[in-house]
Amino acid sequence: MQVYHSRIVDLGGVAKACGCPLLPIRNQMKGQPRCSDQGEDIVDEAIKFFRANVFFKHFDLKSPSDRILVYLTYYINLALKRLEGCRTVTEGTNAIKNLNLEHVYVPGESGFPFHGIFPRPGAKKEAVLLLSANKEAVFAEAIRDYFKQIREETGRRLLNVAYRANGTPNKWWLAFAKRKYMAF
């Protein structure tokens, strides 16, 4: 069996932080990276490939976009664990909102789960060194903001597949809450 990798390999003009591209996503919230409403973005790929990729203990990176795919697979696994006891879509929405309010760890922090996959930021004080399109170094918490944004959007889209149109849980998705992803 083979791991599903991200199909997003053309990263021309995409800013990077901690070795990870800040890929544009289709979203309804405010945020930096946005893409058009056409085509599949990294959040769609993560949800589509989740049920296959969650079974693998190792993930060989083929492109920088795979780092985001690994992170989102981990987040979807956490979200499904939170949704496991929720019987209605309203309860599920509240559980996802509470998960998104928790602190988001970034590479270099002790709570970050993927130390071997994401490179550490250069200095301890900086959360990330972001290279913008004009190659100016901007020190900010861009990776934390990006992780928050993609977590919120992934959670919103995950609710659409984890619950049926009538608001009842979809057992074919929530059954994956019991799976451990990469020993987490």
Side-chain angles (χ1 to χ4, degrees):
M1 288 182 20
Q2 198 172 27
V3 176
Y4 288 95
H5 295 278
S6 177
R7 294 183 184 141
I8 302 170
V9 291
D10 180 23
L11 302 176
V14 175
K16 288 187 179 183
C18 292
C20 148
L22 304 180
L23 298 170
I25 59 172
R26 289 186 333 271
N27 61 2
Q28 298 174 348
M29 296 167 262
K30 283 195 287 186
Q32 301 161 326
R34 282 210 154 128
C35 70
S36 66
D37 290 335
Q38 299 173 1
E40 197 173 74
D41 63 3
I42 192 69
V43 175
D44 291 330
E45 282 187 348
I47 291 172
K48 182 170 83 173
F49 297 148
F50 171 78
R51 293 189 288 181
N53 283 349
V54 76
F55 289 105
F56 294 97
K57 302 268 187 232
H58 304 286
F59 197 100
D60 295 327
L61 301 175
K62 301 260 181 181
S63 72
S65 302
D66 285 342
R67 287 187 175 102
I68 300 294
L69 193 63
V70 167
Y71 183 81
L72 287 178
T73 303
Y74 172 72
Y75 172 76
I76 291 169
N77 191 253
L78 284 178
L80 288 175
K81 287 178 183 179
R82 296 288 176 94
L83 294 175
E84 192 174 22
C86 301
R87 297 285 125 213
T88 65
V89 95
T90 305
E91 290 176 18
T93 303
N94 290 336
I96 293 295
K97 283 181 183 178
N98 289 336
L99 177 62
N100 289 336
L101 290 175
E102 292 178 6
H103 181 71
V104 176
Y105 292 99
V106 295
E109 293 181 345
S110 62
F112 190 71
F114 302 108
H115 292 295
I117 295 176
F118 287 79
R120 297 177 65 128
K124 186 171 177 121
K125 249 187 163 180
E126 75 183 35
V128 67
L129 171 61
L130 171 67
L131 295 176
S132 62
N134 61 359
K135 304 295 183 203
E136 293 177 4
V138 180
F139 295 92
E141 290 199 3
I143 194 73
R144 188 182 315 275
D145 293 341
Y146 182 70
F147 281 170
K148 284 180 184 178
Q149 181 185 3
I150 61 173
R151 286 167 61 120
E152 288 174 8
E153 186 61 25
T154 303
R156 188 184 65 75
R157 293 186 203 177
L158 182 63
L159 288 170
N160 293 332
V161 295
Y163 290 92
R164 294 187 180 95
N166 64 3
T168 60
N170 183 343
K171 70 178 183 179
W172 303 112
W173 268 91
L174 294 179
F176 284 89
K178 293 173 179 46
R179 279 301 297 171
K180 286 187 177 184
Y181 178 61
M182 292 177 73
F184 293 108

